[in-house]
């Protein structure tokens, strides 16, 4: 059977050959957000493990995992919050990764179905900001690690890290997958050695929880929601790195590999942070490496984490380019990568000071508030309305403002906006804390409230308000 929609995608006309067809990863990818024809698909679902695992191997996860220590959770409380939150966040990302091979496009253009062609600019722009923000985070942490390691000045190190990150991001999809395999293999060896050394070293004075009763569970909720927000924030990137897979790739294999890769890396890094902070409850988690590890191993670890920040940054720049193109900014892909990289570099130079960890946690909270309602609407549209892609309309509808999805889809936009608004009282961060968040001592339940509300609203409103033909796509031989 051949899907008749594949022949109706005008955006593929005149497209240059993919980097896979050229036989080299060192060829600029110029496809942008255009649909990938079935004849140009390649790859194996198992590669979704490494492309999800590698970008998380940098210092941010360690910092986040260590934040449970000052909350009084101790090691066990921190680990349970980390594991459960990462299970949920990884599942969300795995469900999004499955959509890539079926629709053959990056993640954000898929939102034109539930939000409308122009309405989708809103989540695309927010995701662009998030990509630039996480790139800045990675640049700061990578540069700090390398600068401390080599006793180099911070500013020049930041510039070097940013420049290399931009260069890799410019080449695109295939080189990011190739680097993901390298980083995964190296980091698994290094992290295994570090984990074994930490286990034999034993816990420190911060191993036991100092919070008790209600205070303990409120602190647990604070870490749980922060970790979930971080891990779920990878969902808007998911199909960017699965869309070249063959269309007949097993959804279960893609889901399992993507979910496992993200869960393994986030949980491993955060649990390392939770363990390290027990050695220095009132200090910096990075300084704890010096207590737990011999000098040679500390050197290897910091070098690995510093260099691993570079492909993490490139992933964010690449996905940022996809989001820029989704907003119909008519620039070549490599130009959008470069511009985003320069903006993120400026942010890293200005805000990469001593208060960076606190700024990082605040950034996580504020930027991720739109993610759960957005992903709830997107998943309902794909898995319910489109019946897991079986009822997807011809792909040219995704690439024209006058297509079947319309310029604005009030069902999706309304669900997204109402979901965020309803969740405001549940928010809790250093910028704003709602009444419910305050009563829960800073536990931020807004992610879950907004996601549930948005999903329900979209399910109820989609048939009345979504400009979508009722008839499913007809398929011919």
């Amino acid at each position: 059977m051949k899907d008749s929609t594949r022949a109706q995608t005008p955006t593929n006309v005149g497209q240059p050959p993919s980097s896979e067809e050229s036989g080299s990863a060192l060829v600029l990818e110029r496809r942008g957000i255009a649909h990938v024809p079935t004849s140009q698909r390649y790859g194996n679902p198992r590669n979704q493990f490494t492309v999800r695992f590698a970008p998380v191997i940098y210092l941010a996860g360690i910092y986040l995992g260590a934040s449970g220590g000052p909350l009084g959770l101790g090691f066990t409380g921190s680990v349970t919050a980390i594991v459960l939150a990462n299970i949920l966040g990884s599942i969300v990302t795995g469900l999004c990764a499955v959509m890539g091979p079926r629709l053959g496009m990056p993640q954000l253009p898929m939102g034109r179905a539930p939000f409308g062609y122009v309405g989708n600019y809103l989540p695309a722009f927010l995701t662009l900001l998030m990509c630039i923000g996480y790139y800045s985070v990675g640049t700061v942490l990578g540069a700090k690690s390398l600068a401390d390691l080599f006793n180099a000045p911070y500013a020049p190190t930041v510039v070097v890290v940013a420049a290399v990150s931009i260069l890799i991001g410019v080449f695109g999809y295939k080189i990011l997958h190739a680097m993901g395999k390298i980083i995964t293999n190296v980091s698994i060896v290094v992290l295994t050695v570090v984990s074994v050394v930490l286990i034999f070293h034993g816990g420190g004075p911060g191993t036991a929880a100092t919070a008790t009763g209600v205070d303990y569970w409120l602190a647990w909720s604070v870490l749980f929601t922060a970790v979930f927000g971080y891990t779920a924030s990878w969902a808007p990137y998911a199909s960017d790195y699965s869309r070249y897979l063959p269309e007949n790739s097993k959804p279960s294999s893609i889901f399992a590999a993507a979910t496992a890769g993200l869960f393994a890396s986030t949980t491993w890094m955060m649990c390392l942070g939770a363990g390290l902070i027990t050695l220095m409850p009132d200090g910096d988690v990075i300084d704890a490496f010096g207590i737990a590890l011999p000098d040679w191993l500390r050197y290897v670890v910091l070098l690995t984490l510093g260099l691993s920040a570079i492909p993490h940054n490139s992933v964010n720049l690449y996905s940022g380019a996809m989001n820029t193109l989704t907003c119909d900014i008519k620039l070549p892909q490599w130009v959008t990568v470069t511009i985003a990289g320069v903006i993120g570099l400026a942010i890293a130079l200005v805000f990469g000071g001593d208060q960076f960890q606190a700024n990082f946690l605040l950034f996580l909270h504020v930027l991720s508030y739109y993610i759960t309602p957005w992903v709830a609407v997107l998943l309902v549209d794909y898995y319910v309305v489109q019946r897991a892609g079986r009822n997807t309309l011809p792909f040219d509808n995704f690439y024209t403002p006058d297509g079947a999805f319309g310029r604005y889809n009030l069902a999706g936009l309304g669900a997204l906006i109402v979901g965020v608004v309803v969740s405001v009282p549940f928010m809790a961060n250093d910028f704003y804390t709602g009444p419910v968040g305050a009563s829960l001592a800073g536990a931020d339940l807004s992610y879950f409230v907004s996601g549930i509300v948005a999903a329900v609203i979209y399910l109820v409103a989609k048939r009345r308000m979504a400009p979508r033909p009722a008839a499913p796509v007809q398929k011919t031989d």
Side-chain angles (χ1 to χ4, degrees):
M1 300 288 289
K2 180 180 178 182
D3 190 341
S4 62
T5 63
R6 302 305 187 263
Q8 300 181 42
T9 310
T11 52
N12 294 319
V13 176
Q15 289 291 336
S18 67
S19 59
E20 172 69 7
E21 292 175 304
S22 72
S24 172
L26 297 178
V27 173
L28 294 182
E29 181 195 8
R30 296 185 176 91
R31 180 170 298 280
I33 63 172
H35 175 258
V36 183
T38 56
S39 61
Q40 297 179 18
R41 305 291 188 89
Y42 62 92
N44 190 295
R46 66 173 176 267
N47 295 336
Q48 293 301 299
F49 182 93
T50 55
V51 81
R52 312 295 162 186
F53 188 99
V56 184
I57 305 302
Y58 75 119
L59 289 172
I62 290 179
Y63 273 119
L64 186 54
S67 65
L71 294 173
L73 290 177
F75 181 72
T76 301
S78 295
V79 168
T80 55
I82 288 167
V83 169
L84 291 176
N86 280 334
I87 288 174
L88 290 178
S90 300
I91 286 174
V92 169
T93 302
L95 290 172
C96 288
V98 170
M99 300 165 65
R102 184 66 185 177
L103 299 183
M105 65 183 72
Q107 199 74 60
L108 262 297
M110 298 176 186
R112 290 169 174 171
F115 299 110
Y117 188 94
V118 177
N120 193 51
Y121 289 176
L122 175 61
F125 177 71
L126 292 175
T127 306
L128 171 61
L129 294 181
M130 186 177 70
C131 289
I132 294 175
Y134 271 109
Y135 158 75
S136 301
V137 167
T139 301
V140 169
L141 293 180
K144 285 180 66 176
S145 179
L146 295 174
D148 291 346
L149 196 62
F150 296 111
N151 294 317
Y154 172 72
T157 307
V158 167
V159 173
V160 171
V161 169
V164 177
S165 301
I166 293 171
L167 182 62
I168 295 172
V170 162
F171 283 100
Y173 183 93
K174 191 177 180 184
I175 195 171
L176 290 171
H177 270 272
M179 293 201 67
K181 294 177 183 178
I182 296 171
I183 294 296
T184 298
N185 293 334
V186 171
S187 60
I188 284 177
V189 174
V190 173
L191 294 178
T192 298
V193 173
V194 172
S195 300
V196 171
V197 171
L198 285 176
I199 290 172
F200 279 101
H201 187 281
T207 302
T210 56
T212 59
V214 175
D215 291 338
Y216 175 88
W217 289 110
L218 290 175
W220 189 94
S221 299
V222 170
L223 181 59
F224 175 84
T225 52
V227 171
F228 173 79
Y230 172 82
T231 305
S233 69
W234 288 99
Y237 303 60
S239 288
D240 296 4
Y241 305 97
S242 64
R243 72 188 193 276
Y244 280 89
L245 288 174
E247 188 180 16
N248 61 357
S249 300
K250 289 183 62 176
S252 59
S253 298
I254 299 169
F255 173 79
T259 302
L262 183 58
F263 174 78
S265 56
T266 52
T267 302
W268 204 343
M269 296 297 289
M270 293 178 192
C271 287
L272 280 178
L276 285 166
I277 201 63
T278 66
L279 304 177
M280 295 184 66
D282 299 321
D284 191 305
V285 65
I286 302 305
D287 295 333
F289 276 117
I291 297 177
L293 307 178
D295 288 342
W296 70 269
L297 184 54
R298 174 181 173 275
Y299 182 92
V300 171
V301 171
L302 292 180
L303 180 62
T304 301
L305 295 178
L307 294 177
S308 296
I310 293 175
H312 160 272
N313 298 344
S314 302
V315 162
N316 280 279
L317 291 177
Y318 178 79
S319 288
M322 300 300 103
N323 300 322
T324 303
L325 295 171
T326 302
C327 292
D328 275 351
I329 296 181
K330 306 299 185 182
L331 292 173
Q333 181 175 317
W334 70 269
V335 173
T336 61
V337 169
T338 304
I339 292 175
V342 172
I343 294 173
L345 170 60
I347 294 172
L349 287 171
V350 174
F351 297 105
D354 294 336
Q355 296 300 313
F356 176 73
Q357 184 175 356
N359 294 333
F360 166 65
L361 291 174
L362 179 59
F363 166 77
L364 280 180
H365 277 294
V366 176
L367 262 293
S368 60
Y369 282 133
Y370 82 96
I371 291 177
T372 48
W374 167 82
V375 79
V377 171
L378 190 72
L379 293 178
V380 167
D381 186 80
Y382 178 76
Y383 287 100
V384 178
V385 178
Q386 299 184 40
R387 297 181 60 220
R390 292 188 293 273
N391 278 4
T392 298
L393 296 177
F395 288 111
D396 54 356
N397 288 291
F398 286 90
Y399 294 97
T400 173
D402 299 319
F405 305 131
R407 292 177 178 268
Y408 299 93
N409 186 334
L410 296 182
L413 286 171
L416 172 63
I417 294 171
V418 172
V420 173
V421 171
V422 169
S423 71
V424 168
F426 297 85
M427 294 179 179
N429 58 68
D430 291 340
F431 179 76
Y432 169 80
T433 299
V436 178
S439 67
L440 296 177
D444 193 333
L445 302 181
S446 63
Y447 303 111
F448 306 102
V449 173
S450 61
I452 293 171
V453 169
V456 171
I457 290 177
Y458 188 67
L459 277 172
V460 172
K462 64 182 179 63
R463 291 184 178 177
R464 294 183 178 181
M465 303 175 68
R468 180 190 306 280
V473 174
Q474 299 297 319
K475 298 188 177 184
T476 59
D477 290 324

